[in-house]
Amino acid sequence: MSDTPGTERNPAKKPRTRASGKWWTAGGAAAVLGLLLGGVALGWWAANQTLIAGQQNTVESPDAAPVVALDSSMPDVRGLTRDDAAQVLADSGIAASTITFEDAPSGLPEGTVVRQVPVFGTPSPTAIVIGVAVPATMPSLTAADRSEAVATLSDLGVAVTIVFQYDTKAAIGTVLSTSPAAGEPLGDTATVTLATTGSSVALGDLRRLSGNCRTTGEVSLGGTRHPSAVVCSAQAEPSTSVWSIGARGDQFTATAGIDDDATPGTNATVEVLADGQVVDSWQVAFGKPVEISVPVTGVIQLSVRVNSPDDVEVLLAGAAVAGSDEAIAELEQ
């Protein structure tokens, strides 16, 4: 049969085909757009979660990116420049009127933020103080202890290196010197030298050149027990014993007295000589020992001279020569 003029074949089919095409085009576009928007939103969320979870900046890493908190919380701006810190605070929704910048002497580069109040994460801070580095000089730390010196320099943003040096006149563990010296410009590192104990060697273990002194075990002086002593016989005629210390010692120490087993009332005179010259002398008596401490830096021969009208033995308990670790190691060879 021929087609009727003005009509199309299969009139119900083609309209459905065109309608189906329009539905796919609109629905597909909406789906693609939804995926794109979802990806953007997910990326924004992940980026912000990464910022929040990131570690705070430290002054040791001045080039690190700031850690930004959400909801107008306090960001961490330490290590940034003043201008960058101000921008980060503004980006965090914090009003400039709440921010105070102040100078903070520091060994870090000038203009670096070295401290902040309040701390990172504080919600909606109403008063903020930012410390900005200005040039600092080394403070005087002589005689300070280790913890005090380290704390003082750490507060100035300075990394501290500790070294040790033997010194007979300084208290153990106290500061002998600093580099840079007190009053000099301070950088981000410094060296602090602390006094150390050094070493010592028993007098009885050194080479004796002459005399009648000998080493004994435990003794008692004035009621105090001592694990060892050098014993020197004292008579009316002075008796001298000489040891070689080869200019390697700095201090000679001992507790001098008369043994608690001796006759009460006995006494004696004790002298210490350095290279033949009397350095000091002491009177010792039964029940009344004395403490001896004599500088011997540069001394080659150390001598002890004793005499007594009572013909008694003088004890030098704990007698030892102290010096640097290196010097005493050589002396013991």
Side-chain angles (χ1 to χ4, degrees):
M1 180 185 295
S2 61
D3 293 336
T4 304
T7 63
E8 294 182 338
R9 300 181 67 180
N10 300 323
K13 215 172 191 182
K14 290 187 178 179
R16 282 200 299 270
T17 302
R18 285 195 294 270
S20 176
K22 289 179 180 179
W23 174 87
W24 181 90
T25 302
V32 171
L33 180 59
L35 288 173
L36 289 173
L37 291 176
V40 170
L42 179 61
W44 176 88
W45 179 86
N48 279 277
Q49 292 303 310
T50 300
L51 288 171
I52 293 172
Q55 293 183 346
Q56 295 192 32
N57 297 329
T58 63
V59 292
E60 290 80 12
S61 302
D63 296 328
V67 177
V68 181
L70 299 180
D71 301 326
S72 299
S73 296
M74 182 66 188
D76 185 3
V77 296
R78 292 171 299 167
L80 303 180
T81 65
R82 172 176 175 151
D83 290 343
D84 287 345
Q87 185 61 56
V88 170
L89 290 168
D91 291 344
S92 299
I94 296 174
S97 59
T98 65
I99 306 169
T100 300
F101 290 94
E102 64 180 19
D103 291 344
S106 174
L108 293 174
E110 186 173 3
T112 302
V113 174
V114 294
R115 64 170 181 259
Q116 65 177 56
V117 177
V119 298
F120 167 73
T122 301
S124 303
T126 58
I128 296 172
V129 178
I130 303 296
V132 180
V134 294
T137 58
M138 172 66 81
S140 177
L141 297 173
T142 302
D145 62 24
R146 176 174 182 160
S147 60
E148 181 182 351
V150 171
T152 298
L153 292 173
S154 295
D155 287 345
L156 294 171
V158 178
V160 183
T161 298
I162 299 293
V163 297
F164 297 91
Q165 179 178 312
Y166 173 73
D167 192 304
T168 60
K169 299 178 181 179
I172 303 305
T174 58
V175 176
L176 296 175
S177 63
T178 59
S179 178
E184 293 183 351
L186 191 61
D188 59 1
T189 61
T191 299
V192 174
T193 301
L194 300 178
T196 188
T197 56
S199 300
S200 64
V201 58
L203 183 65
D205 292 338
L206 297 178
R207 185 163 65 95
R208 182 165 56 84
L209 302 178
S210 63
N212 62 15
C213 293
R214 67 186 190 282
T215 302
T216 188
E218 186 178 85
V219 298
S220 179
L221 295 175
T224 300
R225 305 298 296 182
H226 299 270
S228 64
V230 170
V231 183
C232 302
S233 297
Q235 300 175 341
E237 186 69 22
S239 174
T240 304
S241 294
V242 182
W243 290 266
S244 174
I245 62 174
R248 292 182 176 85
D250 288 306
Q251 201 79 12
F252 169 63
T253 57
T255 300
I258 296 174
D259 197 298
D260 289 350
D261 292 337
T263 303
T266 53
N267 61 82
T269 299
V270 180
E271 295 176 299
V272 173
L273 297 79
D275 292 333
Q277 300 297 314
V278 176
V279 177
D280 209 340
S281 65
W282 300 264
Q283 293 294 317
V284 298
F286 177 84
K288 297 180 179 180
V290 298
E291 297 298 325
I292 291 176
S293 182
V294 177
V296 292
T297 301
V299 174
I300 297 173
Q301 293 185 0
L302 173 67
S303 305
V304 175
R305 185 160 63 198
V306 297
N307 69 287
S308 170
D310 301 313
D311 191 10
V312 69
E313 289 186 332
V314 175
L315 305 181
L316 301 174
V321 174
S324 68
D325 294 339
E326 297 80 4
I328 295 303
E330 292 178 2
L331 190 56
E332 290 178 317
Q333 292 178 356

